[in-house]
Amino acid sequence: MFMDDFIAARAQMALSLGFHIIFACVGMVMPFLMAFAHWKYLKTGNEIYKGLTKAWSKGVAILFATGAVSGTMLSFELGLLWPGFMKHAGPIFGMPFSLEGTAFFIEAIAIGFFLYGWDKFNKWFHWFCGFLVGLSGLASGILVVAANAWMNSPTGFDYINGEYVNIDPIKAMFNDAWFPQALHMTVAAFCATGFAVAGVHAFLMMRKKNVEFHTKAFRIAAAFAMIGAFGAPLSGDVAAKSIAERQPIKLAAMEAHFETEKGAAFVIGGIPDEDKGEINYALKIPKLLSFLATNDFNAEVKGLNDFPKDEWPPVAVVHYAFQIMIFFGVVMISIGSLYLYALFFKKEWLNKNWLLKTFFFATPFGYIALEAGWTVTEVGRQPWIIYGIMRTIDAVTPMPGIQYSFYFFTAIFISLSLIIIFLLRRQIKMVPYLYDPTDKLFNSKNKKS
């Protein structure tokens, strides 16, 4: 298969970001699940929570190592694939990357303390080390998002005669887009990771092995998933209003909204036709887009036709990605509502196979929505790598043969995926051995297994 260097460079970055974002989100959330289970153990003395903490901590370590590898690869790719971008942007938005490196090292040290600190440190200092893993992972994710947000809302410099002058790295880091993006990304991470972990333990509950252990794990993960599921519409609303103000062309592409109009309808589904400037087979909710963008049902929303066509992002890709994100978000909110109803009014449902199957099938939903949302963010900015300042094609490396680099990195990511699956499966099989041998769940069958 042949592809030109520009497409190969974009494909490589898309693959790398799509792979790394999963581990970044796990690193932002999974340590908090671990720390909560550890806190429950310290408060109750229940050995199941200790076993759960150890199980999750080993998973955190595996996924942290993988995220470190993929994140390091991304750092090299920025310089190798996009030297034109890094030449000018590096001095401006380098601060969040530098701080992210500091957060990463703190996270690595805290993980080491936590994994090897059992019965060696003060119990609350040991717990704090685990909690610190979560705080530094969360900070790391937010700092990277701040750097990406700068690409969508470049500030902290003056662009005069093709030169970047009067650089203010603090203003660049705290650009207009960083808070909406960081908030939505954090909430999405809680939702995706919570549903993924809950789904795994729901499956293991259905197998009727170590049921009490997996039930406690499922309840904790489901609680975190609910935080994300119900917080996503609120953070999404903040993000949408920010996009409407800063990047109206991206909002128009998200909705395949071609004509500027007041009282614009919110589009659900549909197939965009860029040549004719219309969307077919869509369900339209009158005036809702105007309200979501501005809090005014009759406000004007700009359409794609108000912008030069060479500045349009790939409308179909952005629109479909946005629809996928919305669809899976609504599905997870529905599952969350069902779970909360069962938790407060129908407790007998909590151990029913149909509810557990629902969570099991929802295991990947959060990450599908996350990847779709990231596609909206990145593809919706095109053709700009620095919005309104530098086009992506002007930033790519002149070095030939990028397609071979793409094939090589693809092979690395496939290999890493297989290794992760192997390690996590082995870790799940080791769960029974993480119990205290005096625990009642430790029957002879489990010992022999």
Side-chain angles (χ1 to χ4, degrees), residues 347-390:
K347 292 189 181 296
E348 64 272 18
W349 289 2
L350 293 175
N351 294 312
K352 296 290 185 181
N353 265 8
W354 62 265
L355 183 64
L356 297 177
K357 285 181 180 178
T358 300
F359 271 91
F360 170 64
F361 285 119
T363 299
F365 288 179
Y367 285 107
I368 294 172
L370 185 74
E371 296 283 7
W374 196 250
T375 300
V376 171
T377 299
E378 296 299 283
V379 179
R381 187 180 62 246
Q382 300 305 316
W384 306 101
I385 192 168
I386 305 176
Y387 187 70
I389 302 292
M390 178 186 286

Side-chain angles (χ1 to χ4, degrees), residues 378-415:
E378 296 299 283
V379 179
R381 187 180 62 246
Q382 300 305 316
W384 306 101
I385 192 168
I386 305 176
Y387 187 70
I389 302 292
M390 178 186 286
R391 289 179 180 261
T392 308
I393 198 167
D394 296 328
V396 71
T397 177
M399 183 182 72
I402 297 299
Q403 59 174 317
Y404 301 108
S405 172
F406 169 67
Y407 302 145
F408 175 70
F409 275 79
T410 300
I412 290 177
F413 288 129
I414 291 173
S415 301

Side-chain angles (χ1 to χ4, degrees), residues 120-132:
K120 295 181 177 67
F121 296 138
N122 172 277
K123 65 179 183 180
W124 287 108
F125 175 76
H126 184 224
W127 172 84
F128 177 74
C129 289
F131 186 68
L132 185 59

Side-chain angles (χ1 to χ4, degrees), residues 137-166:
L138 185 63
S140 181
I142 290 174
L143 287 164
V144 170
V145 170
N148 177 266
W150 177 84
M151 297 164 69
N152 287 289
S153 181
T155 189
F157 65 97
D158 292 320
Y159 188 63
I160 302 174
N161 297 326
E163 297 292 328
Y164 299 77
V165 297
N166 301 325

Side-chain angles (χ1 to χ4, degrees), residues 57-75:
S57 67
K58 293 179 186 298
V60 167
I62 292 169
L63 296 170
F64 171 81
T66 308
V69 172
S70 59
T72 302
M73 291 167 66
L74 267 173
S75 299

